[in-house]
């Protein structure tokens, strides 16, 4: 796997890494994409289900869609890309993974410095009072009611049209502004404001590396591009750090 020319020098002086991951980093773990082969939900677009109006108009249907996605995730495991990013934490003084994924796989792989800018599909909170609510998912075939206020319980993911969690996105923006190296991995760069983070980093002087098998909206702006699946590309990048920090 060839890394971009001059990348060794970037690795040598790198003290701070900010990573943005999207659905592509989990693809090789078998995480279903929204438009996967299973026909059940194919007649809906995610934008039609993942928004508060849909939930209020048809709570049971939206709940069922999340139950289906949660079930698909129940025995999914992190892949080599998640694991390599977890190892990178020990190799640079400062690192943050900002993920758009709601699957929790970075943490399962051992990453400790992760912000979930689109929430976490395994968690729930009350739509009305916003308090977190612990439930046993299998016991409910529609949204349960909040024990505090009687409002409807919903998955703790960010829906289209909703604000991103302020603290998580603020941390991601700070990391993007201060990093030496920004890795954009498996994200099409379409969903904003997450897609602004690579631009923030580059405009603040970071080297911007994209890892994605397909060209994205970011490609022409990146300083370097690794056209490979995440397991291959991320392993190569982290391998360069391992080689430079602990040459054997
Ligand atoms: P996206 O679907 O818009 O883009 C996915 C990107 O991944 C594409 O550029 C594609 O070329 C790339 N890709 C495909 N296979 C890859 C691989 N093996 N290695 C590396 N890259 C690969 O995804 P997005 O930019 O994350 O935006 C979609 C939204 O949907 C996000 O908000 C995300 O939270 C949500 N989503 C999350 C999950 C999850 O949690 N795993 C799954 C589906 C969608
Ligand atoms: Zn409530």
């Amino acid at each position: 796997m060839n890394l971009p020319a001059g990348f060794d020098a970037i690795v040598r002086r790198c003290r701070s890494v900010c990573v943005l991951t999207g659905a592509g980093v989990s693809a090789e773990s078998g995480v279903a994409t929204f438009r996967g082969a299973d026909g059940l939900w194919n007649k809906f677009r995610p934008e039609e289900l993942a928004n508060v109006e849909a939930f209020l108009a048809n709570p049971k249907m939206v709940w069922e869609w999340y139950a289906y996605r949660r079930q698909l995730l129940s025995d999914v495991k992190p892949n080599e890309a998640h694991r390599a990013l977890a190892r990178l934490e020990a190799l640079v003084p400062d690192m943050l993974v900002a993920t758009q994924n709601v699957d929790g796989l970075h943490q399962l792989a051992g990453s400790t410095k992760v912000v979930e800018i689109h929430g976490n599909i395994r968690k729930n909170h009350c739509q009305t009072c916003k308090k977190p609510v612990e439930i046993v998912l299998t016991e409910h075939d529609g949204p349960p009611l909040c024990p505090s206020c009687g409002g409807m319980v919903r998955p703790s993911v960010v829906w289209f049209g909703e604000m991103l969690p302020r603290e998580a996105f603020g941390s991601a923006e700070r990391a993007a502004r201060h990093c030496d190296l920004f890795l954009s991995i498996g994200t099409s760069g379409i969903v904003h404001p997450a897609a602004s983070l690579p631009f923030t980093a580059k405009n603040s002087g970071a080297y911007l590396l994209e890892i994605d098998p397909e060209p994205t909206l970011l490609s022409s702006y990146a300083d370097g591009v690794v056209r490979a699946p995440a397991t291959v590309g991320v392993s190569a990048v982290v391998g360069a750090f391992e080689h430079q920090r602990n040459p054997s």
Side-chain angles (χ1 to χ4, degrees), residues 10-245:
I10 303 295
V11 169
R12 210 171 307 123
R13 59 172 188 262
C14 178
R15 294 287 166 273
S16 172
V17 182
C18 180
V19 183
L20 175 66
T21 62
V25 80
S26 296
E28 291 162 272
S29 289
V31 178
T33 64
F34 283 147
R35 295 163 193 84
D38 195 305
L40 182 57
W41 295 99
N42 276 358
K43 55 185 187 293
F44 298 101
R45 298 191 322 133
E47 294 84 347
E48 292 170 33
L49 292 162
N51 70 73
V52 76
E53 291 77 21
F55 179 65
L56 295 177
N58 209 332
K60 193 162 185 305
M61 184 176 78
V62 172
W63 185 266
E64 277 172 8
W65 184 53
Y66 279 94
Y68 165 74
R69 292 181 55 204
R70 284 164 159 164
Q71 194 215 324
L72 290 176
L73 278 177
S74 58
D75 45 32
V76 159
K77 308 253 181 323
N79 64 46
E80 184 49 32
H82 299 105
R83 287 193 289 273
L85 288 173
R87 293 200 301 277
L88 187 57
E89 267 185 22
L91 300 172
V92 279
D94 186 37
M95 171 164 171
L96 186 74
V97 175
T99 187
Q100 298 169 86
N101 294 343
V102 295
D103 55 30
L105 291 181
H106 287 297
Q107 295 92 325
L108 274 179
S111 281
T112 59
K113 296 166 185 167
V114 182
V115 287
E116 296 176 310
I117 58 181
H118 290 170
N120 188 313
I121 200 168
R122 299 172 208 260
K123 297 182 182 161
N124 295 278
H125 67 271
C126 170
Q127 168 64 23
T128 307
C129 73
K130 313 297 178 207
K131 283 187 190 151
V133 181
E134 301 266 347
I135 56 165
V136 179
L137 287 170
T138 48
E139 285 176 4
H140 305 276
D141 60 359
L145 298 181
C146 168
S148 306
C149 78
M152 278 195 291
V153 172
R154 56 165 280 181
S156 294
V157 298
V158 177
W159 280 335
F160 289 98
E162 290 185 321
M163 297 284 288
L164 268 53
R166 191 190 301 262
E167 214 175 295
F169 194 67
S171 303
E173 275 193 311
R174 265 193 307 283
R177 228 177 289 122
H178 294 117
C179 66
D180 309 315
L181 171 63
F182 189 98
L183 305 176
S184 178
I185 306 170
T187 175
S188 58
I190 290 170
V191 179
H192 276 273
S196 68
L197 292 169
F199 293 91
T200 301
K202 172 137 185 167
N203 292 340
S204 308
Y207 180 97
L208 173 55
L209 183 71
E210 170 178 273
I211 303 170
D212 198 301
E214 302 291 334
T216 74
L217 291 179
L218 191 67
S219 303
S220 61
Y221 198 70
D223 296 299
V225 172
V226 175
R227 279 279 163 264
T231 53
V232 176
V234 180
S235 302
V237 167
V238 176
F241 276 87
E242 285 166 335
H243 183 73
Q244 200 275 326
R245 304 301 199 243

